[in-house]
Amino acid sequence: MTQPVTLGGRPMMPPPGTPAEELLIARFRGHARRLFWSALVLIATFGATGFLYGNLPAGFEDWMLLAAAGLVVLVAVVIPFIVWYSRTMTLTTRRVIVVQGLGSRHRREMSHARGYTIGVRRGPLQRMWGCGTITLSNGVDAPLSLVNVPNVTLVHETLADQVEVGQILAHRDAQASGDDFA
């Protein structure tokens, strides 16, 4: 039986045949640049409301101004924030998980051990903000898109490393189980 590889007394890889513990590598949301226009609308709405409050022409009431400002803030600020906040991407040592939705949650996963291709697309604005879109495709399931990933190059390198490690562990475990039956 082979001994586990250790670093400072801690095992780096589990022994063959034992399940590897799933560890959280990163949990993130899409880049917050999507909220830029919402922030501008919020500032402009508060500025206009402050300026016009008490200075409205005849026939308009201050409550009408406050109701209109509240509606603008709800539609252009609160709803985009909730949509942005409701989508999370989680990267673990076993899989990639994308969860989105408020009332009904939609969850998609892709395992590193099965292997997948990693495509990165970065438009001009995404390059300026340091983010990008990563598309994971294993050839069987529908591609999994991670949209507006912050630090896209770091996430891409981490995903490539995890696919390699997952495939090495799966191959090693397959060989170890094959040796048991021989």
Side-chain angles (χ1 to χ4, degrees):
M1 182 173 165
T2 61
Q3 296 295 321
V5 179
T6 61
L7 176 66
R10 295 182 63 209
M12 288 178 49
M13 293 181 117
T18 61
E21 182 181 1
E22 184 172 23
L23 301 173
L24 176 68
I25 296 173
R27 180 173 288 131
F28 50 91
R29 290 183 170 75
H31 199 282
R33 72 183 179 91
R34 291 189 58 189
L35 302 175
F36 175 77
W37 293 110
S38 295
L40 285 181
V41 167
L42 182 66
I43 293 168
T45 302
F46 279 134
T49 302
F51 177 75
L52 293 174
Y53 191 80
N55 297 325
L56 290 173
F60 291 102
E61 299 286 329
D62 286 337
W63 68 266
M64 293 178 188
L65 174 67
L66 295 177
L71 183 65
V72 167
V73 167
L74 177 68
V75 170
V77 178
V78 174
I79 291 175
F81 175 78
I82 290 173
V83 168
W84 170 81
Y85 195 76
S86 69
R87 182 179 173 118
T88 60
M89 296 166 261
T90 305
L91 176 58
T92 70
T93 54
R94 286 190 189 165
R95 57 196 166 168
V96 178
I97 306 165
V98 176
V99 180
Q100 63 185 0
L102 290 174
S104 64
R105 305 289 273 175
H106 180 72
R107 177 182 174 122
R108 291 212 39 218
E109 298 182 10
M110 192 164 289
S111 173
H112 300 311
R114 289 189 68 190
Y116 48 78
T117 60
I118 305 169
V120 177
R121 186 178 51 83
R122 298 177 74 188
L125 287 176
Q126 288 178 322
R127 282 195 303 273
M128 185 174 79
W129 288 91
C131 62
T133 299
I134 296 177
T135 304
L136 308 175
S137 176
N138 63 6
V140 177
D141 302 321
L144 179 63
S145 291
L146 309 174
V147 181
N148 285 324
V149 175
N151 297 321
V152 70
T153 54
L154 178 62
V155 173
H156 175 266
E157 291 170 4
T158 304
L159 286 169
D161 290 344
Q162 289 304 310
V163 167
E164 184 176 353
V165 168
Q167 289 181 339
I168 288 171
L169 289 175
H171 181 71
R172 185 193 68 173
D173 290 344
Q175 282 186 335
S177 66
D179 291 344
D180 294 341
F181 295 114

